[in-house]
């Protein structure tokens, strides 16, 4: 018993010629691996080989279990250190692991998720899209990202961005590592901006104008789609420099335009003037309004519009 208490795995074989059967059974229950009578010494070698083999297997099992516990502890720590929701799935789409932010966000207990498929945990509005993207990751072995847009039990709209990455064993996909984040605020901001852009575009078409925003610190002028259309500006994206803006003005007016604009930037005041445009086959008269953005604490932001007054100018002349 003292030996077994110090080492639960060390092989113990009892060899005796006097111990009775009842005592032998008692010793085996106490932790001995085998009991051999002196009359059967030929069995000793076989018994030693067997108990040594069993001992090696037990030690390997204990070492594996210890490593597994340590790895799981590390994995638990890593998973719970993420602010975003993180999960791990097997190749059949069952949840193997989820972190605390995942459970907190979806108001689920870990045992309600582990070992379950998507449709056992979430409604069809979420699970069908998730299963579709799981299949895509498993089939292609490539990362995918998508958004889940749904209404929760409280009637609030929730948008979750999901990124799924294949878990590889050599060339084989054996699972999926996923990350989610609450994308509701960002999605609402994007939609609000898109709606504002649409309203601005319609307003510009009705008024025959184009708008822009200028950052004096970076010398970047972001112009609207109608600004580009009106000036026939051939660029990728929506950004030009102030110098490129000035080159849209007819050469005879350009010096006056640059001087007035620089003064407005230096003094943080408004600039309003009519100029002739002549660029990329565009010829006409435009009113230019350039104003400082007083909400900008550094005073580097300006915004403005150009308005086509060619017809008005021609009618005035004739």
């Amino acid at each position: 018993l003292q030996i077994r208490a110090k080492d639960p795995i060390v092989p113990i074989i009892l060899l005796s010629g006097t111990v009775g059967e009842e005592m032998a059974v008692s010793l085996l229950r106490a932790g001995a691996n085998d009991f051999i009578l002196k009359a059967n010494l030929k069995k000793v070698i076989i018994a030693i080989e067997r108990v040594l083999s069993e001992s090696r297997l037990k030690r390997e099992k204990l070492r594996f279990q210890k490593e597994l516990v340590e790895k799981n502890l590390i994995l638990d720590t890593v998973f719970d250190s993420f602010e975003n929701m993180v999960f791990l799935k097997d190749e059949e789409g069952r949840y193997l692991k989820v972190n605390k932010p995942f459970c907190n966000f979806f108001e689920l207990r870990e045992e309600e998720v582990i070992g379950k498929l998507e449709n056992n945990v979430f409604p069809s509005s979420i699970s069908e899209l998730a299963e579709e993207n799981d299949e895509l990751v498993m089939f292609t072995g490539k990362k995918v990202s998508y958004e889940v847009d749904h209404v929760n039990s409280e009637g609030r709209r929730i948008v979750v961005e999901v990124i799924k990455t294949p878990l590889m064993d050599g060339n084989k996909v054996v699972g999926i590592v996923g990350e989610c984040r609450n994308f509701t605020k960002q999605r609402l901001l994007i939609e609000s901006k898109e709606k504002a852009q649409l309203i601005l575009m319609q307003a510009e078409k009705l008024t025959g104008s184009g708008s822009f925003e200028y950052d004096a610190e970076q010398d970047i002028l972001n112009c609207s789609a109608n600004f580009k259309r009106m000036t026939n500006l051939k660029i990728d994206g929506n950004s030009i420099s102030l110098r490129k803006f000035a080159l849209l003005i007819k050469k005879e007016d350009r010096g006056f335009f640059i001087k007035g604009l620089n003064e407005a930037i230096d003094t943080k005041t408004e600039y309003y003037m009519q100029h002739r445009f002549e660029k990329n086959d565009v010829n006409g008269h435009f009113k230019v309004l350039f104003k400082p953005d007083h909400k900008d604490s550094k005073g580097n932001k300006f915004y403005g519009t150009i308005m086509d007054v060619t017809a008005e100018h021609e009618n005035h002349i004739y």
Side-chain angles (χ1 to χ4, degrees):
L1 288 174
Q2 291 179 348
I3 295 173
R4 183 59 72 218
K6 291 181 179 179
D7 190 333
I9 298 177
V10 64
I12 300 174
I13 298 176
L14 295 175
L15 183 64
S16 176
T18 58
V19 174
E21 185 178 342
E22 186 176 340
M23 177 60 73
V25 172
S26 177
L27 290 170
L28 290 172
R29 288 177 177 174
N33 295 92
D34 206 347
F35 174 80
I36 299 174
L37 294 173
K38 289 181 179 179
N40 294 319
L41 290 178
K42 60 182 180 180
K43 294 183 177 180
V44 171
I45 295 176
I46 298 174
I48 290 174
E49 290 177 346
R50 177 176 55 78
V51 297
L52 286 175
S53 177
E54 290 174 354
S55 176
R56 282 194 297 269
L57 290 174
K58 287 179 180 179
R59 290 193 187 280
E60 288 177 3
K61 184 177 180 180
L62 282 176
R63 179 177 58 80
F64 176 76
Q65 288 174 340
K66 182 181 178 182
E67 290 178 354
L68 188 61
V69 168
E70 291 174 349
K71 288 179 180 178
N72 282 336
L73 181 61
I74 293 171
L75 187 60
D76 287 342
T77 304
V78 171
F79 260 55
D80 289 335
S81 68
F82 290 109
E83 292 183 5
N84 289 341
M85 298 163 268
V86 183
F87 60 86
L88 180 65
K89 287 183 172 184
D90 66 15
E91 56 189 324
E92 294 180 354
R94 289 187 176 87
Y95 282 99
L96 298 176
K97 196 165 193 61
V98 293
N99 67 346
K100 289 179 180 177
F102 184 101
C103 294
N104 293 338
F105 182 81
F106 291 110
E107 298 179 343
L108 294 166
R109 297 190 307 276
E110 189 175 358
E111 55 268 27
E112 293 178 298
V113 182
I114 302 303
K116 305 289 181 62
L117 295 169
E118 283 287 342
N119 57 13
N120 300 136
V121 180
F122 297 107
S124 59
S125 59
I126 297 177
S127 63
E128 289 178 1
L129 186 59
E131 289 167 353
E132 179 183 325
N133 281 278
D134 283 355
E135 290 178 5
L136 186 61
V137 173
M138 296 300 299
F139 180 74
T140 64
K142 295 181 180 180
K143 180 189 294 187
V144 300
S145 62
Y146 63 98
E147 290 181 12
V148 177
D149 195 332
H150 73 109
V151 178
N152 67 6
S153 58
E154 298 176 356
R156 291 188 297 114
R157 181 189 179 194
I158 301 294
V159 182
V160 178
E161 182 185 54
V162 185
I163 300 173
K164 292 182 175 178
T165 305
L167 183 63
M168 307 295 296
D169 182 6
N171 295 324
K172 183 181 179 183
V173 182
V174 295
I176 296 171
V177 179
E179 181 182 3
C180 315
R181 64 178 180 130
N182 189 344
F183 199 65
T184 308
K185 289 184 179 179
Q186 294 90 329
R187 172 51 56 197
L188 291 176
L189 285 172
I190 291 171
E191 291 177 356
S192 177
K193 184 176 180 180
E194 290 175 347
K195 185 177 180 180
Q197 289 289 342
L198 181 61
I199 293 172
L200 175 63
M201 184 172 64
Q202 295 297 331
E204 286 179 341
K205 286 182 178 179
L206 287 172
T207 59
S209 64
S211 59
F212 60 86
E213 182 183 53
Y214 178 65
D215 187 327
E217 185 177 13
Q218 299 183 29
D219 187 32
I220 294 177
L221 187 143
N222 291 308
C223 48
S224 69
N226 211 43
F227 181 104
K228 291 170 61 177
R229 184 190 63 77
M230 290 170 61
T231 59
N232 200 18
L233 191 58
K234 306 296 184 182
I235 59 170
D236 293 326
N238 300 311
S239 300
I240 59 174
S241 64
L242 196 63
R243 179 179 176 275
K244 193 170 185 69
F245 183 25
L247 291 175
L248 299 172
I249 307 297
K250 197 172 180 66
K251 188 175 181 180
E252 290 81 359
D253 296 356
R254 198 174 299 157
F256 183 76
F257 171 77
I258 294 173
K259 180 181 178 182
L261 219 55
N262 285 333
E263 286 180 359
I265 293 171
D266 292 338
T267 59
K268 308 294 188 295
T269 55
E270 180 180 312
Y271 176 79
Y272 182 66
M273 188 60 63
Q274 180 176 308
H275 291 285
R276 292 173 293 174
F277 274 62
E278 185 181 55
K279 186 68 176 177
N280 298 329
D281 300 324
V282 172
N283 289 276
H285 292 258
F286 291 80
K287 285 183 179 178
V288 179
L289 173 63
F290 188 83
K291 299 181 67 173
D293 184 353
H294 296 296
K295 294 180 181 179
D296 176 41
S297 58
K298 293 183 179 180
N300 293 319
K301 299 289 180 66
F302 298 81
Y303 60 91
T305 60
I306 59 171
M307 182 174 292
D308 189 351
V309 292
T310 305
E312 178 184 327
H313 182 79
E314 291 175 350
N315 291 335
H316 179 72
I317 291 175
Y318 295 106

